[in-house]
């Protein structure tokens, strides 16, 4: 059991992610999680406002089933497989975050500076969370996929559009981490 | 029963993302600061094994569960959409510390804050389709 409850190494996790992709291909589907954002829009009736969402989401119920699986996976992993939520970060990373006034860096999966209830109930905190989501959702659908569809599946298929999208992910991510986060949190 | 297999792969995937700490905001921050190999190892090894598996499927003309040949649906191409969408996505990825998969996994971890992120992501997908006719693709 112990190998299950300790953090999984990259060389275990990466191949298992590839195996998940393979299983989806075997089951006749191409793995892609951000499509579910559109499915959920369609489920809650966005088709009344934008014609695109009038598609029959029931045809994509396999992807919604996958999504509910993700939620259960998170629940099981947290409650039964993760006795220690400590993240072993590079000391330099910890130091940088402390300079940005982050406390208890790496003690839990999520920093309380962004994800605590206190943050949720403050205007700044709420705006950051909402904006982060907006960028992810808008960007993923504009690019035609997210980390799963482009970085994992697209690159495994050696697709050029996916390589371009992943380069874009990094341009955006590096800009946020190096130039914008210091402004937001300093 | 047809849907159950997708539910199980999702559960498996959710456990991997959780146990590898790929759903941690800190890990994404550390990755974009180039201060750890961990995330590059996860994504890199997934792609290397993925390339091999896709080639095996193609070379052996592997049949899927329905007895048909596996189809590799390509993504939409466009000169601007992949790079511009990618940059916007990247900005959000580094701020939220989570892409869509980890967002759902974090819902299962019981985070309330991630529901706001997820709502924002739905809204973002909605807004994209609202304004897409004005955007370069």
């Amino acid at each position: 059991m112990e190998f299950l409850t300790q953090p999984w190494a990259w060389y275990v996790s990466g191949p298992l992610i590839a195996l998940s992709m393979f299983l989806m291909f075997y089951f006749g589907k191409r793995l892609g999680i951000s499509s579910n954002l559109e499915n959920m829009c369609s489920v809650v009736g966005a088709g009344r406002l934008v014609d695109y969402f009038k598609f029959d989401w029931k045809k994509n119920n396999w992807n919604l089933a996958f999504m509910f699986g993700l939620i259960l996976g998170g629940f099981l992993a947290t409650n039964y497989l993760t006795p220690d939520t400590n993240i072993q970060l590079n000391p330099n990373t910890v130091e940088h975050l402390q300079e940005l006034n982050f406390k208890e860096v790496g003690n839990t999966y999520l920093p309380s500076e962004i994800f605590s209830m206190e943050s949720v109930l403050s205007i700044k905190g709420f705006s950051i969370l909402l904006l982060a989501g907006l960028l992810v959702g808008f960007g993923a659908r504009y690019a035609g996929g997210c980390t799963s569809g482009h970085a994992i599946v697209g690159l495994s298929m050696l697709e050029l559009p996916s390589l371009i999208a992943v380069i874009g992910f990094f341009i955006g991510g590096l800009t946020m981490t190096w130039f914008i986060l210091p402004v937001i949190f300093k | 029963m047809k849907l159950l297999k997708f539910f199980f792969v999702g559960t498996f995937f959710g456990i991997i993302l959780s146990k590898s700490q790929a759903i941690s905001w800190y890990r994404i921050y550390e990755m974009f600061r180039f201060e750890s190999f961990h995330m590059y190892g996860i994504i890199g090894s997934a792609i290397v094994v993925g390339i091999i598996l896709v080639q095996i499927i193609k070379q052996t003309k592997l049949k899927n569960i329905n007895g048909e040949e596996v189809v590799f649906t390509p993504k939409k191409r466009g000169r601007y959409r992949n790079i511009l969408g990618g940059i916007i996505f990247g900005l959000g990825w580094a701020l939220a510390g989570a892409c869509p998969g980890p967002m759902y996994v974090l819902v299962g971890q019981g985070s309330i804050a991630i529901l706001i992120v997820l709502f924002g992501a739905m809204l973002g997908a909605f807004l994209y389709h609202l304004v897409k006719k004005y955007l370069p693709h």
Side-chain angles (χ1 to χ4, degrees):
Chain A
M1 268 313 272
E2 204 184 321
F3 81 100
L4 279 179
T5 55
Q6 66 191 0
W8 294 1
W10 62 264
Y11 50 82
V12 175
S13 313
L16 288 178
I17 288 173
L19 176 66
S20 312
M21 174 192 78
F22 176 84
L23 285 173
M24 293 303 277
F25 275 134
Y26 179 67
F27 292 148
K29 305 293 176 193
R30 178 183 170 144
L31 174 67
I33 299 168
S34 72
S35 308
N36 268 319
L37 299 171
E38 293 178 354
N39 291 334
M40 285 166 67
C41 283
S42 180
V43 170
V44 298
R48 271 170 290 178
L49 299 167
V50 174
D51 282 347
Y52 174 84
F53 294 103
K54 281 183 180 152
F55 67 82
D56 182 13
W57 58 266
K58 290 192 190 72
K59 280 190 184 139
N60 298 335
N61 54 10
W62 64 272
N63 211 343
L64 289 160
F66 185 89
M67 179 192 91
F68 284 113
L70 287 177
I71 297 173
L72 177 69
F75 176 82
L76 294 176
T78 307
N79 290 288
Y80 303 107
L81 298 171
T82 315
D84 180 8
T85 59
N86 212 339
I87 312 271
Q88 292 295 327
L89 296 162
N90 184 324
N92 291 333
T93 307
V94 176
E95 202 177 303
H96 282 295
L97 284 170
Q98 283 167 345
E99 280 169 23
L100 298 178
N101 300 314
F102 280 66
K103 311 246 180 332
E104 295 171 16
V105 176
N107 286 7
T108 49
Y109 273 36
L110 300 175
S112 61
E113 285 74 11
I114 302 176
F115 294 93
S116 66
M117 274 318 280
E118 200 187 331
S119 176
V120 168
L121 297 172
S122 73
I123 291 173
K124 184 182 172 184
F126 187 89
S127 310
I128 289 173
L129 293 164
L130 190 68
L131 176 70
L134 272 171
L135 291 167
V136 168
F138 191 100
R141 295 328 301 159
Y142 191 3
C146 60
T147 325
S148 58
H150 270 315
I152 307 292
V153 182
L155 290 185
S156 290
M157 288 162 59
L158 305 174
E159 284 195 315
L160 184 62
S162 293
L163 180 63
I164 297 170
V166 173
I167 291 170
F169 295 172
F170 270 83
I171 296 173
L174 292 171
T175 307
M176 176 57 71
T177 299
W178 288 81
F179 304 111
I180 307 179
L181 284 181
V183 178
I184 297 177
F185 291 104
K186 196 82 182 190
Chain B
M1 278 314 283
K2 255 184 163 175
L3 289 177
L4 213 54
K5 56 182 181 286
F6 299 111
F7 179 74
F8 284 135
V9 182
T11 308
F12 180 60
F13 201 71
I15 291 174
I16 302 164
L17 291 182
S18 201
K19 286 304 302 173
S20 65
Q21 303 179 334
I23 60 166
S24 167
W25 185 95
Y26 295 112
R27 284 290 187 202
I28 305 304
Y29 180 82
E30 191 185 42
M31 170 181 81
F32 282 126
R33 286 201 62 91
F34 301 112
E35 288 172 338
S36 169
F37 179 73
H38 187 72
M39 289 303 302
Y40 295 102
I42 293 175
I43 298 173
S45 63
I47 294 168
V48 170
V49 177
I51 291 172
I52 296 168
L53 289 173
V54 168
Q55 287 308 315
I56 291 175
I57 294 173
K58 282 184 176 168
Q59 301 303 326
T60 62
K61 296 196 164 56
L62 187 89
K63 300 272 192 292
N64 66 22
I65 197 167
N66 306 318
E68 301 151 355
E69 223 165 273
V70 174
V71 261
F72 294 98
T73 334
K75 290 270 183 198
K76 288 176 195 144
R77 279 168 186 268
R79 186 177 297 195
Y80 300 108
R81 68 174 304 158
N82 300 118
I83 189 74
L84 294 178
I87 291 171
I88 297 170
F89 175 85
L91 289 166
W93 187 15
L95 184 58
C99 43
M103 284 181 197
Y104 294 114
V105 179
L106 287 166
V107 170
Q109 290 221 346
S111 166
I112 301 291
I114 208 70
L115 295 175
I116 299 166
V117 183
L118 200 52
F119 174 74
M122 274 176 74
L123 201 60
F126 175 78
L127 287 175
Y128 165 69
H129 287 288
L130 189 68
V131 302
K132 67 181 170 189
K133 55 178 178 281
Y134 308 108
L135 299 171
H137 285 82

